[in-house]
Amino acid sequence: MNKLDTNYKNTWCPFCGNFGILAAFKRAIENEDLNKIAITSGIGCHAKIVDYINVNSFYSLHGRSIPAAEGIKLANPELKVIAFTGDGDSLNEGISHLIHAAKRNTDITVILHNNRLFALTTGQFTAASEDGFKGRSTPMGAPESPINPLELMLASNATFISRSYSGNIKHLEETMKKALAHKGFSIIEVIEPCVSFYNTSDLYNKNTYVLEDSDLDSKEKALEKIREWNYEGEGKIPLGVFYKVDKKPYFERVLTAKKEETVEQILEELI
Ligand SMILES: Cc1ncc(C[n+]2csc(CCOP(=O)(O)OP(=O)(O)O)c2C)c(N)n1
Ligand code: SF4
């Protein structure tokens, strides 16, 4: 048994994209100080991931993975805090938390399991579902166009924006390591199939390709790449880091306003 494994019974469907995310994350953190890592989740199939990784974790409410992560980071700035969330979780239920965490440049990493539907509740459409998506709540097709979550993140001033694919575990592991090394808000949108209700495996296997890291501080270039795929049917799907800039994270800016004190000293005064 690997030190990161737990005794929980895994209840994901065979071949679910979440297995790739779990494997990549375990590889990405295996050489980190595990006492310095905390993970959070919302509610959904994606959220079960916290049961399957042997590190400190907080299983929150639907849409509340990100504020839980922000609270943990505020209370203990020494920790690396990773928020796992689903597209229903952070693009529907908790979308304002996602936007404001990015806007604040809170020093957390968000891993967005984007299977483009509410999976645990058996396949209702979300803000990420394609136009015309036929599911439990939209048998005649969703009459709405999807949000591009990465475009939303660029507009919200996120400082690290990336996409990977659950079927490309090596790329996902490398992207996770880059996101974890970033000081400030980082997001990885992980596109993944829900094999039971929206099986996109063939689409992603055929159409994804990996970008080189270049001109990462240009919003214009990032937007061009982020818009290359519009979440509608076919089309090339770029994976990689689209945007990265260095900017002081939120809590450092707030808490070190009194320059002579460290973050720890100020927290001691506050608590
Ligand atoms: C406030 C609230 N609303 C609705 C639900 C019901 N619910 C539980 S899981 C879920 C779907 C989660 O979808 P998503 O976040 O996309 O995760 P996935 O299951 O696709 O991984 C919903 C709607 C809930 N638990 N809490
Ligand atoms: S319902 Fe979909 S997302 Fe949930 S475990 Fe099964 S394949 Fe994975």
Side-chain angles (χ1 to χ4, degrees), residues 154-249:
L154 196 66
S156 307
N157 290 328
T159 54
F160 181 105
I161 301 173
S162 64
R163 181 191 290 131
S164 190
Y165 167 39
S166 61
N168 189 339
I169 294 176
K170 186 77 201 139
H171 182 264
L172 183 52
E173 176 194 343
E174 292 307 322
T175 310
M176 286 174 171
K177 285 181 176 164
K178 288 179 192 172
L180 288 171
H182 179 72
K183 207 162 182 273
F185 180 90
S186 53
I187 182 162
I188 309 170
E189 176 203 16
V190 188
I191 50 172
E192 60 160 355
C194 165
V195 292
S196 296
F197 300 110
Y198 189 56
N199 195 347
T200 45
S201 303
D202 287 347
L203 177 77
Y204 297 158
N205 285 338
K206 202 169 99 198
N207 291 324
T208 51
Y209 76 99
V210 175
L211 291 169
E212 295 292 323
D213 283 357
S214 67
D215 295 323
L216 293 182
D217 57 356
S218 163
K219 273 201 167 180
E220 290 69 29
K221 295 223 163 76
L223 188 58
E224 202 179 304
K225 284 290 166 201
I226 285 171
R227 281 184 174 166
E228 193 173 321
W229 181 48
N230 68 0
Y231 297 80
E232 304 284 359
E234 299 283 324
K236 286 284 164 207
I237 306 174
L239 307 178
V241 181
F242 297 98
Y243 186 68
K244 175 176 163 35
V245 286
D246 293 325
K247 191 174 154 193
K248 212 175 201 183

Side-chain angles (χ1 to χ4, degrees), residues 11-13 16-18 45 115 119-120 193-197:
T11 56
W12 286 328
C13 309
C16 171
N18 288 323
C45 294
N115 54 17
L120 188 70
C194 165
V195 292
S196 296
F197 300 110

